[in-house]
Amino acid sequence: MQQSPLSNISTEYINYIESAKDRNIVFKETIINEIGDVIKDKSICDVQCFDGYFTRLFKILGAREIVGYDLPGNMLEVAKEVEFTTPFGINYIEQDFSLKDFKNTSKFDIVFCPFLLNFAKDQETLKITLTNLKSLLNPGGFIFGINASPFTPVHSKMYNIVTTSQSKKPTDGDIVTRNHIKDGDPIFS
């Protein structure tokens, strides 16, 4: 098999990111707890797929079809590189879901959009993005997103302890430390 010029970079990056505690302990476990039992044999669209970590996870969990969308850039190239070196049968496509002229012909059972909605610059952009995401759904399909708040439990077995250097509830610009606790024991900060 031909080696891509990005192979060394993507291998090092993927080895690093696959061991990232927030992905493996918090988000991966949340996804498996919340929708893991409905992924098998479904078509899934991973919007803002970044480097394809969750896109590959869905394929491993039994998704029938998976497409990863993201803005053009280095992380989408890493996702494509991983697919080149370790094929999962995933298509990665450049797409901005906040554009009014969004055209779509594909339909999916599940639209996964982690950390996408919090990037909407205003209410109009959020409305356009949500309309575009909805256009991707098969009848009976659903949108699953993650927008982390340090004040909300991740799921029933894991919660966050949030501390600041102030005695008041944090506001924009304050430094916030989030400690992840599972079964009463600190996991990481």
Side-chain angles (χ1 to χ4, degrees):
M1 175 179 270
Q2 179 185 5
Q3 184 164 347
S4 164
L6 293 176
S7 291
N8 292 338
I9 295 170
S10 65
T11 300
E12 289 176 23
Y13 174 79
I14 293 302
N15 288 339
Y16 161 75
I17 207 66
E18 299 277 337
S19 68
K21 290 181 181 179
D22 61 339
R23 284 192 177 185
N24 283 309
I25 296 173
V26 179
F27 303 120
K28 180 179 177 182
E29 195 167 324
T30 298
I31 290 166
I32 291 170
N33 284 340
E34 296 298 325
I35 63 172
D37 58 338
V38 298
I39 291 172
K40 188 170 175 49
D41 298 323
K42 297 288 194 267
S43 60
I44 302 176
C45 169
D46 184 359
V47 177
Q48 193 164 319
C49 68
F50 197 53
D51 62 2
Y53 176 84
F54 295 116
T55 323
R56 292 185 299 279
L57 175 64
F58 293 136
K59 193 66 173 179
I60 291 166
L61 292 174
R64 178 184 78 250
E65 174 191 5
I66 181 90
V67 176
Y69 291 94
D70 208 333
L71 298 172
N74 291 340
M75 290 296 95
L76 189 58
E77 292 307 313
V78 169
K80 290 177 180 180
E81 171 59 27
V82 172
E83 182 63 27
F84 179 83
T85 58
T86 311
F88 281 82
I90 299 170
N91 293 319
Y92 291 99
I93 301 169
E94 295 177 5
Q95 180 65 59
D96 184 345
F97 283 83
S98 67
L99 300 177
K100 286 183 180 180
D101 63 350
F102 174 76
K103 301 286 187 255
N104 175 56
T105 57
S106 299
K107 298 290 184 185
F108 300 91
D109 300 316
I110 301 170
V111 172
F112 178 66
C113 52
F115 312 106
L116 172 70
L117 303 178
N118 51 307
F119 284 104
K121 62 183 178 187
D122 53 36
Q123 288 184 346
E124 181 63 21
T125 305
L126 180 62
K127 183 178 178 181
I128 291 167
T129 302
L130 287 168
T131 299
N132 291 339
L133 293 175
K134 184 178 176 187
S135 77
L136 294 166
L137 288 175
N138 281 325
F142 65 91
I143 296 172
F144 182 79
I146 298 174
N147 285 319
S149 165
F151 302 102
T152 304
V154 179
H155 53 74
S156 62
K157 296 179 185 172
M158 185 179 301
Y159 58 93
N160 303 313
I161 301 292
V162 178
T163 60
T164 70
S165 60
Q166 304 173 12
S167 59
K168 64 178 181 64
K169 185 175 179 177
T171 59
D172 284 348
D174 288 349
I175 296 174
V176 175
T177 302
R178 180 172 61 181
N179 299 300
H180 297 272
I181 308 296
K182 183 173 182 179
D183 299 324
D185 297 319
I187 302 172
F188 66 97
S189 295

